[in-house]
Amino acid sequence: AELMSRHTTFRIGGPADFFLVPENADEIKKIIAVCKEKNVPYFILGNGSNLLVSDKGYQGVVVQLYRNFGQIRVEDSRIHAQAGALLSGIAAAAREASLTGFEFAGGIPGTLGGAVVMNAGAYGGEMKDVLLSADVLTADLEVKTIPVEELDLSYRHSIVPEKGYIVLGGKLQLKKGNEQEIRERMAELAQQRREKQPLQYPSAGSTFKRPEGYFAGKLIDDAGLRGFQVGGAQVSEKHCGFVINTGNATAKDVTTLMSDVQRIVMEKFGVKLEPEVKFLGEF
């Protein structure tokens, strides 16, 4: 059993029964085939940057696609990357090749696979602006290339989960640019991120989705919840949209804090906050 607190940016989570790190598409296919045949639940993990794992852990197989499955290849103005490639690594490769359009993603702490699944975005850019196609393993264990139009990418949404796809990689279309300008833009965004976000604490990024017409962080702040704490979990004083782990937070601390925040924001402003963070295991 492998502790999931070692594999999430929240640094929270009990043991997974099985933790597998495949190195190619065939190995992934075999693992999923066995799980389906034996009716064992499985979960595809990137670098765990948007995930809260239960204190009890996960009764099943965690398949991690990360550095083991993270190749990046630049071809003219296109970049091919495997699902485990970090967005920061892809952004650096784009910069080195003087390709512009991916600067927004340089500071998003996720893998390409996770970014496709939730159409990750920041600073006015999102995956759907640059993605050409995704390579997926279908529910029938076939490898298919799906053009971006068919992925139905919108705010924090794609068809990947409902179709039971596993993202194996993707192709990005960028534009030729000026390396110096790309470098400066990335540095500027990194600076903004450091100023506004509590990067020194473990967290899963923005905890709640942006409600229509509002900003989650501002609602939480206006509800008087800046610094609000349950056990080791806290609404960040630096950015109220982030729930941070101040030290020994449990998953229970985080979920209790989240439901308190949801309840109070609902009472004060009548706005329903939906979690952006994903949950794994029993809660």
Side-chain angles (χ1 to χ4, degrees):
E2 176 78 6
L3 279 179
M4 292 303 291
S5 54
R6 296 178 51 187
H7 300 283
T8 62
T9 56
F10 240 145
R11 299 279 168 260
I12 292 172
D17 288 352
F18 302 94
F19 189 87
L20 303 176
V21 189
E23 306 215 334
N24 57 52
D26 277 345
E27 288 182 8
I28 297 168
K29 204 188 267 195
K30 282 182 188 138
I31 292 166
I32 305 306
V34 171
C35 288
K36 290 193 172 200
E37 188 190 323
K38 302 213 182 297
N39 223 351
V40 176
Y42 61 89
F43 179 79
I44 308 297
L45 175 75
N47 68 328
S49 56
N50 191 43
L51 188 67
L52 181 66
V53 181
S54 158
D55 298 315
K56 295 182 192 139
Y58 181 61
Q59 282 73 50
V61 178
V62 171
V63 181
Q64 188 175 46
L65 306 183
Y66 190 24
R67 295 189 174 98
N68 51 308
F69 198 72
Q71 287 169 352
I72 298 169
R73 198 174 82 243
V74 179
E75 216 171 76
D76 298 325
S77 56
R78 290 182 176 180
I79 296 185
H80 301 249
Q82 288 181 313
L86 283 171
L87 300 182
S88 53
I90 298 172
R95 183 187 66 211
E96 299 309 310
S98 301
L99 295 177
T100 183
F102 206 65
E103 293 87 341
F104 75 89
I108 300 175
T111 57
L112 178 75
V116 170
V117 171
M118 61 178 282
N119 185 28
Y123 300 114
E126 48 189 350
M127 291 305 294
K128 75 178 173 82
D129 305 333
V130 292
L131 193 68
L132 264 180
S133 61
D135 303 317
V136 304
L137 187 62
T138 67
D140 304 327
L141 302 186
E142 285 179 67
V143 176
K144 270 193 172 160
T145 299
I146 313 271
V148 68
E149 302 77 48
E150 289 171 32
L151 289 170
D152 188 28
L153 299 182
S154 56
Y155 178 65
R156 300 296 175 266
H157 167 84
S158 74
I159 60 159
V160 172
E162 62 225 42
K163 292 271 193 200
Y165 291 158
I166 293 171
V167 177
L168 299 174
K171 198 185 282 184
L172 306 170
Q173 177 67 63
L174 304 177
K175 293 189 184 72
K176 283 280 176 215
N178 172 307
E179 195 197 337
Q180 188 56 36
E181 285 169 19
I182 295 165
R183 191 175 288 279
E184 283 167 12
R185 178 67 180 145
M186 283 173 67
E188 182 190 329
L189 293 181
Q191 176 66 21
Q192 280 187 38
R193 198 174 275 274
R194 281 193 300 273
E195 283 170 10
K196 296 200 168 70
Q197 298 181 5
L199 301 181
Q200 65 278 42
Y201 290 99
S203 82
S206 299
T207 310
F208 298 101
K209 292 180 183 172
R210 188 173 62 229
E212 196 67 45
Y214 297 90
F215 290 103
K218 182 163 178 8
L219 286 169
I220 294 166
D221 195 7
D222 292 347
L225 293 168
R226 183 180 290 268
F228 175 70
Q229 198 153 355
V230 173
Q234 184 184 35
V235 172
S236 165
E237 298 189 2
K238 192 168 185 183
H239 187 319
C240 294
F242 283 59
V243 172
I244 58 174
N245 174 358
T246 62
N248 298 310
T250 61
K252 185 90 177 73
D253 292 342
V254 176
T255 51
T256 305
L257 181 139
M258 284 176 70
S259 49
D260 286 350
V261 166
Q262 285 169 306
R263 187 185 69 256
I264 292 166
V265 166
M266 185 48 123
E267 282 167 10
K268 295 208 168 176
F269 304 113
V271 179
K272 189 176 194 318
L273 291 178
E274 299 281 358
E276 180 167 308
V277 62
K278 300 275 183 269
F279 302 92
L280 180 65
E282 274 179 59
F283 284 90

